[in-house]
Amino acid sequence: MEYITTYPKTVSFFDGLKHRIDADSKDGVEQLHIVVRKSFEELMKIFKAEGFTRVKFEHKQPGQIGNGLNLKLKKPWEMHVRMVDLKKGLIGIHAEVEVSRDYLQHLFCQRTPVVYEIEEILKKYQVDYSIWHDKIKKNIHAIVDNYKVKLATPSIPVFAWKPMLFVIGTIAAFYGWKYFNTIW
């Protein structure tokens, strides 16, 4: 199952400057950040109400507040959200869609940042937000056009790693028991 979304391609800033968002096949599209003036606790309540759960193991970003959140989408995809402290009462929301952490392919899969999916949630809860371009250090005034982003399902069928650990642990215990029985 592939994941299809749209992502800003050309944006304009309040000073009239237009900019094309970088995209390439290796790095994907450059990350834009959604910025809100809400408390971390309020944002956590909103995301939890939408079905997001805490991520237990993750690589934390500099300035990240608390644990990240994830939302299961259609198998094998999930949306991963991190919040970072931007000072002055602002929180940056970084979101991306990737293969779920439940699968081994998560470690080396395609991923793409997402904006519109988070915008939809914030609009639903009437949260004011802006979109920030970190490279240029400006808020985006308008989105002129969009990329169509398509994440392909991994070519190798996805493998759930938790059941694999159980099988490996059982086999190791069996061979350990067999080994200790032969030396005693």
Side-chain angles (χ1 to χ4, degrees):
M1 174 70 70
E2 58 196 21
Y3 185 82
I4 298 172
T5 188
T6 54
Y7 194 78
K9 181 178 188 178
T10 308
V11 297
S12 67
F13 299 99
F14 287 97
D15 60 6
L17 176 72
K18 284 188 178 176
H19 173 74
R20 186 180 174 116
I21 303 299
D22 293 331
D24 62 48
S25 57
K26 181 181 172 229
D27 297 325
V29 292
E30 64 184 290
Q31 176 110 31
L32 298 174
H33 309 292
I34 295 181
V35 178
V36 297
R37 188 176 295 279
K38 277 271 186 208
S39 73
F40 174 72
E41 292 75 21
E42 287 175 289
L43 289 171
M44 289 295 282
K45 284 179 189 171
I46 289 170
F47 285 116
K48 295 227 181 212
E50 288 297 310
F52 283 80
T53 57
R54 271 187 50 228
V55 173
K56 292 168 186 68
F57 303 107
E58 70 176 330
H59 175 70
K60 290 205 176 200
Q61 303 268 327
Q64 182 174 335
I65 308 167
N67 287 37
L69 300 168
N70 67 2
L71 175 67
K72 300 283 186 220
L73 304 171
K74 290 181 183 173
K75 183 179 176 183
W77 307 107
E78 76 178 12
M79 187 183 313
H80 184 198
V81 172
R82 290 183 171 105
M83 290 180 255
V84 293
D85 184 13
L86 300 176
K87 309 296 184 234
K88 300 178 191 164
L90 298 173
I91 291 182
I93 301 172
H94 303 177
E96 61 185 10
V97 170
E98 59 195 354
V99 169
S100 172
R101 288 170 169 61
D102 293 342
Y103 305 107
L104 200 55
Q105 283 85 341
H106 171 78
L107 300 173
F108 47 88
C109 72
Q110 290 179 284
R111 55 195 64 192
T112 188
V114 291
V115 171
Y116 295 122
E117 290 84 342
I118 300 301
E119 262 190 329
E120 203 174 293
I121 293 169
L122 296 176
K123 283 178 183 175
K124 180 179 175 182
Y125 290 88
Q126 300 167 351
V127 176
D128 290 330
Y129 65 89
S130 60
I131 302 174
W132 177 256
H133 192 298
D134 201 42
K135 256 191 204 174
I136 296 179
K137 305 287 187 221
K138 291 182 182 180
N139 278 320
I140 292 171
H141 173 64
I143 296 167
V144 178
D145 60 356
N146 292 296
Y147 287 109
K148 184 174 182 180
V149 180
K150 180 176 158 184
L151 292 178
T153 305
S155 54
I156 301 169
V158 289
F159 295 110
W161 62 269
K162 291 175 187 173
M164 286 174 36
L165 282 179
F166 175 75
V167 169
I168 292 168
T170 303
I171 292 169
F174 175 73
Y175 277 105
W177 174 76
K178 187 176 174 184
Y179 172 76
F180 287 117
N181 270 348
T182 57
I183 62 170
W184 283 336

